[in-house]
Amino acid sequence: MNRREILAALAVIGAIPTARAHAATGDLRSAAREAWLYGLPLVEMATARARALAGPDAVLKRLNAFGHGRHLAGPQSRNVTTPNNDTLYSRAWLDLSRGPVTMEIPPTGDRYISVAGMNMFTDNDFVLGTRTTGGGGGRYTIVGPGQAGEGPNVVRLKTPEGWVLVRILVDGPDDLSAVHRIQDGLRMSGPTAPAPAAYAERSAPPLEYFASVARLLKANPPPATDGALFGRAAPLGLTAQGGFDPRRFDAAATAEIAAGVAEARRALMGQRPGGAVQGWTYPRTTLGDFNQDYAFRAAVALGGLAALPPAEAMYMQPVAEQGRMFTGEGPYRLHFPADRLPAVDAFWSLTLYEATPDGQFFLVENPIQRYSIGDRTPGLRKNADGSLTLWIARGDPGGERSANWLPAPAKGPFSLSFRAYLPKDEFRDGRYRLPALEAVAG
């Protein structure tokens, strides 16, 4: 082994905390850039878990138990980015390290329900409910990696920790009590788990951030198919087994790491959810089951955490004046011909959001308290020929348009998201496309 190889080996195990040693192992800036994006879903999941279990908006008492949101999401809903205003959420954060848990889902009949089990890398390992198991309910055993699959209706999570997120369709305020009864029928039982450790959030200094990623990896080992990524991250010393020593970096190396993280942040803000057709971006086929699409996975974790796979739901955003953000005065018109209404087997909606400086999206207060508009909106009016026109405007468009008005903020940028639940084959394969969103004069 020559001197260069010795320096590289020592740097990897943390024996020589010098910028020269780091340079011998490869491009530290590039490694930090890629590793920051790779770790972001883990960090966002840990952050969402912490907020669900603590603080004034906490909905959970402990792990391995359900907590319920009893109201439709509104501007006050700030725990998870891009909430929908169509369903009530119930959720449980899992710790399977001490054994499986049992989950009961009550019958829901024809009402839409999805029960998504996500691993800590944000993949949907299973989705139960209307599409897959029907509306009859059932009892399921959730098992973790390496655990025996005993019990009724076994489903598996690929990491010891994870998230079960339930969405139940609500047909307006008068329907809430019926959905509450369904929520009360959701039950979970299993081993008692200790409160999760605290982790850094995405805004933390880089070395603190990577130390948290390492601890999350140790608790939730990544798949073997991520091995190449950890090879590229070797200059950083981040390993699949949760290895990382922040003490090995001198000032010059720390500056290189910070530069790589800054590049990752810029790259993340430029990520698109998929290709654009007729002014709308469509989800990639890897949504919700990302495999090695790490940059896309990070972008979804930031802007749409807990997204379902396209077979369950499709999420489309219109291309706006500034990427995803509308800045014009409008109004904007979305017109569906009578024979081209959204091709779904469940429901559809268009939701409006404001953006935070760090790229997350939340509902906006407005005078009529309408945060989304869709096929179940009370009073929605079709045109005489059966077509449907929606109006997105900063002020009431007036007259017959008012019934189909989705309010935008009086000033400032905003974003739109179209959701199609249980999209039909023609929606998923591209035979059906949404009509273009148009800016019109007054």
Side-chain angles (χ1 to χ4, degrees):
M1 181 179 289
N2 60 34
R3 183 174 182 274
R4 182 183 178 86
E5 290 170 331
I6 292 171
L7 285 173
L10 290 173
V12 169
I13 63 173
I16 301 180
T18 67
R20 182 180 180 185
H22 298 309
T25 66
D27 185 347
L28 186 57
R29 181 182 298 196
S30 177
R33 177 186 185 278
E34 192 162 3
W36 192 88
L37 291 171
Y38 179 85
L40 186 64
L42 289 165
V43 168
E44 291 301 296
M45 289 284 278
T47 299
R49 178 176 61 189
R51 292 175 180 173
L53 287 163
D57 298 324
V59 296
L60 295 176
K61 304 284 186 191
R62 58 184 176 85
L63 298 174
N64 297 342
F66 274 116
H68 309 294
R70 298 297 199 178
H71 305 281
L72 289 170
Q76 76 287 350
S77 306
R78 299 268 162 164
N79 280 345
V80 178
T81 184
T82 57
N84 80 51
N85 184 243
D86 306 296
T87 73
L88 287 191
Y89 291 101
S90 294
R91 66 206 74 194
W93 284 93
L94 304 182
D95 182 344
L96 304 175
S97 61
R98 288 165 172 76
V101 302
T102 299
M103 177 174 64
E104 294 183 32
I105 303 173
T108 55
D110 294 333
R111 184 188 298 272
Y112 174 83
I113 183 173
S114 62
V115 182
M118 289 165 285
N119 63 46
M120 289 297 284
F121 294 92
T122 68
D123 292 315
N124 287 265
D125 286 342
F126 59 84
V127 181
L128 310 174
T130 302
R131 178 179 65 89
T132 56
T133 56
R139 184 179 175 89
Y140 300 86
T141 300
I142 306 174
V143 302
Q147 294 174 351
E150 299 178 356
N153 299 324
V154 170
V155 291
R156 291 188 174 276
L157 208 63
K158 293 179 182 176
T159 54
E161 300 173 332
W163 189 12
V164 170
L165 186 60
V166 183
R167 298 166 172 91
I168 309 171
L169 180 62
V170 180
D171 280 328
D174 294 341
D175 192 35
L176 282 170
S177 59
V179 178
H180 292 165
R181 289 192 292 272
I182 294 173
Q183 289 181 305
D184 292 340
L186 290 163
R187 294 186 173 85
M188 185 172 287
S189 59
T192 300
Y199 295 95
E201 297 190 8
R202 67 177 176 276
S203 59
L207 296 184
E208 184 180 339
Y209 173 92
F210 287 123
S212 280
V213 171
R215 290 194 292 127
L216 285 161
L217 287 168
K218 189 172 183 179
N220 298 279
T225 47
D226 288 349
L229 176 284
F230 287 100
R232 297 191 295 273
L236 190 64
L238 182 69
T239 71
Q241 295 75 35
F244 181 74
D245 183 2
R247 298 169 299 178
R248 60 189 289 248
F249 301 107
D250 62 13
T254 301
E256 280 293 289
I257 292 170
V261 169
E263 289 179 2
R265 291 181 180 275
R266 289 193 296 270
L268 187 64
M269 298 304 289
Q271 274 281 318
R272 286 191 177 275
V277 181
Q278 292 180 197
W280 291 85
T281 59
Y282 285 79
R284 301 182 190 180
T285 57
T286 54
L287 181 66
D289 190 10
F290 298 95
N291 299 309
Q292 281 68 57
D293 200 346
Y294 306 127
F296 178 49
R297 184 178 71 181
V300 173
L302 178 64
L305 185 67
L308 291 163
E312 193 72 30
M314 290 177 62
Y315 311 88
M316 283 68 62
Q317 288 83 41
V319 178
E321 293 95 351
Q322 293 184 8
R324 186 172 171 175
M325 304 307 298
F326 288 87
T327 57
E329 290 304 309
Y332 300 88
R333 177 177 60 196
L334 182 60
H335 178 76
F336 296 94
D339 61 347
R340 299 294 290 170
L341 294 174
V344 298
D345 284 326
F347 64 94
W348 62 267
S349 65
L350 180 69
T351 308
L352 189 144
Y353 299 100
E354 63 180 353
T356 63
D358 59 355
Q360 295 200 305
F361 298 90
F362 299 104
L363 301 171
V364 188
E365 194 64 68
N366 66 73
I368 63 172
Q369 296 183 329
R370 177 181 285 174
Y371 310 114
S372 66
I373 194 167
D375 58 355
R376 295 154 299 103
T377 300
L380 198 67
R381 292 184 180 178
K382 289 186 177 179
N383 302 314
D385 63 356
S387 63
L388 178 65
T389 305
L390 305 181
W391 295 93
I392 300 92
R394 296 185 186 276
D396 188 338
E400 293 185 355
R401 297 178 177 181
S402 296
N404 295 3
W405 173 38
L406 179 60
K411 60 181 180 179
F414 63 92
S415 178
L416 293 163
S417 182
F418 190 98
R419 288 176 169 84
Y421 275 78
L422 301 189
K424 294 185 177 181
D425 289 345
E426 57 264 38
F427 214 145
R428 297 198 305 272
D429 65 23
R431 286 175 289 154
Y432 176 85
R433 294 296 189 184
L434 293 172
L437 189 69
E438 302 170 309
V440 298

